């Protein structure tokens, strides 16, 4: 029997997406294979920004501490050092897609590595050198990093972003059942996600 698929739109520059990713992965595990997450791209910063004021950005990152209070499993640090701020969302999304193309586990590892590098280690995940370093830290094949330059992956990222907007996901995180046009926006409590999925499974939704 195919698992019930939950499509999740997420951006690696969003602290609430980090929280939701932790919650959703725990929820997925609790269903013992009956639910599968399909991670898709959303671009909070779709284009490079010229105004990269580091001190203003550093002040903004203090707001991450409030997010941390909502999810103990997420690790946040107010921005330290002189790296960044990140210019836009696309580079990290391409790195995640490139890793995913090597296999599901590689994609999962890269997803968590990007969140941790940005929020806990204060590394600029829009910088190609930083992304290459993360790639090597995960032990992924060095030569395969060139997959990040694949135009097909960029088209996929942009298409997923447009798809999310088409389903009414004007912000992230957002999730929807694969057979539904309704997108639930915001980092919901685990209990909310679980009740939603339990109801869908009980209704015998496609894939359930």
């Amino acid at each position: 029997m195919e698992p019930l698929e939950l499509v999740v739109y997420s951006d690696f520059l969003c602290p609430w997406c980090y929280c939701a990713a932790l919650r959703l992965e725990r929820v997925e595990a609790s269903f013992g294979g009956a639910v599968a997450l399909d991670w898709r791209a959303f671009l909070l910063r779709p284009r490079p920004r010229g105004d990269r004021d580091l001190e203003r950005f550093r002040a903004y990152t203090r707001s991450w501490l409030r997010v941390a209070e909502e999810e103990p499993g997420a690790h946040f640090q107010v921005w330290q050092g002189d790296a960044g701020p990140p210019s836009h969302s696309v580079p990290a999304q391409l790195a995640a897609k490139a890793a995913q193309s090597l296999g599901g586990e590689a994609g999962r590892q890269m997803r968590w590595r990007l969140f941790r590098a940005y929020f806990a280690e204060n590394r600029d995940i829009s910088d190609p050198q930083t992304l290459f370093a993360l790639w090597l830290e995960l032990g992924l094949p060095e030569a395969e990093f060139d997959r990040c330059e694949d135009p097909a992956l960029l088209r996929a990222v942009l298409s997923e972003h447009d798809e999310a907007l088409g389903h009414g996901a004007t912000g992230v995180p957002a999730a929807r059942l694969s057979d539904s046009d309704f997108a639930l926006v915001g980092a919901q409590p685990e209990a909310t996600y679980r009740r939603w999925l339990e109801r869908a499974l009980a209704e015998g939704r496609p894939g359930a």
Side-chain angles (χ1 to χ4, degrees):
M1 184 178 296
E2 292 295 317
L4 178 68
E5 186 177 73
L6 185 68
V7 177
V8 185
Y9 301 101
S10 182
D11 188 289
F12 294 104
L13 302 184
C14 170
W16 291 108
C17 288
Y18 183 19
C19 290
L22 287 162
R23 294 170 184 173
L24 284 167
E25 190 157 279
R26 291 195 295 261
V27 168
E28 180 188 33
S30 73
F31 281 96
V35 170
L37 303 179
D38 179 4
W39 294 93
R40 300 188 189 179
F42 189 93
L43 305 174
L44 287 175
R45 298 182 188 174
R47 290 173 294 278
R49 295 173 56 174
D51 57 328
R52 300 180 72 188
D53 187 317
L54 181 58
E55 292 310 312
R56 182 178 178 182
F57 174 71
R58 202 190 309 278
Y60 150 72
T61 66
R62 295 192 186 100
S63 68
W64 293 353
L65 300 181
R66 181 175 66 86
V67 185
E69 293 175 357
E70 299 288 330
E71 177 49 64
H75 301 288
F76 292 92
Q77 175 176 249
V78 174
W79 202 263
Q80 307 293 317
D82 297 324
S87 58
H88 61 312
S89 300
V90 173
Q93 295 284 3
L94 289 174
K97 288 281 187 227
Q100 183 69 32
S101 71
L102 297 176
E105 183 57 27
R108 179 180 179 277
Q109 290 179 5
M110 178 56 78
R111 184 169 63 252
W112 289 118
R113 193 68 193 92
L114 287 164
F115 279 131
R116 189 170 69 253
Y118 182 52
F119 291 111
E121 300 170 7
N122 298 162
R123 297 166 74 173
D124 178 3
I125 59 172
S126 67
D127 175 64
Q129 292 184 339
T130 298
L131 293 172
F132 183 53
L134 297 177
W135 188 273
L136 296 181
E137 287 170 19
L138 291 175
L140 300 179
E142 180 175 345
E144 299 297 338
F145 184 71
D146 288 345
R147 291 177 183 235
C148 296
E149 303 296 327
D150 185 348
L153 292 188
L154 177 59
R155 288 194 296 270
V157 165
L158 298 178
S159 176
E160 290 174 3
H161 176 75
D162 289 343
E163 175 187 288
L165 294 177
H167 286 289
T170 54
V172 281
R176 68 176 179 85
L177 297 170
S178 61
D179 68 330
S180 172
D181 290 331
F182 167 74
L184 181 64
V185 178
Q188 305 296 324
E190 282 185 50
T192 300
Y193 288 127
R194 190 171 288 108
R195 285 195 301 269
W196 185 26
L197 294 168
E198 285 173 347
R199 185 166 59 249
L201 288 167
E203 292 171 353
R205 299 290 283 269

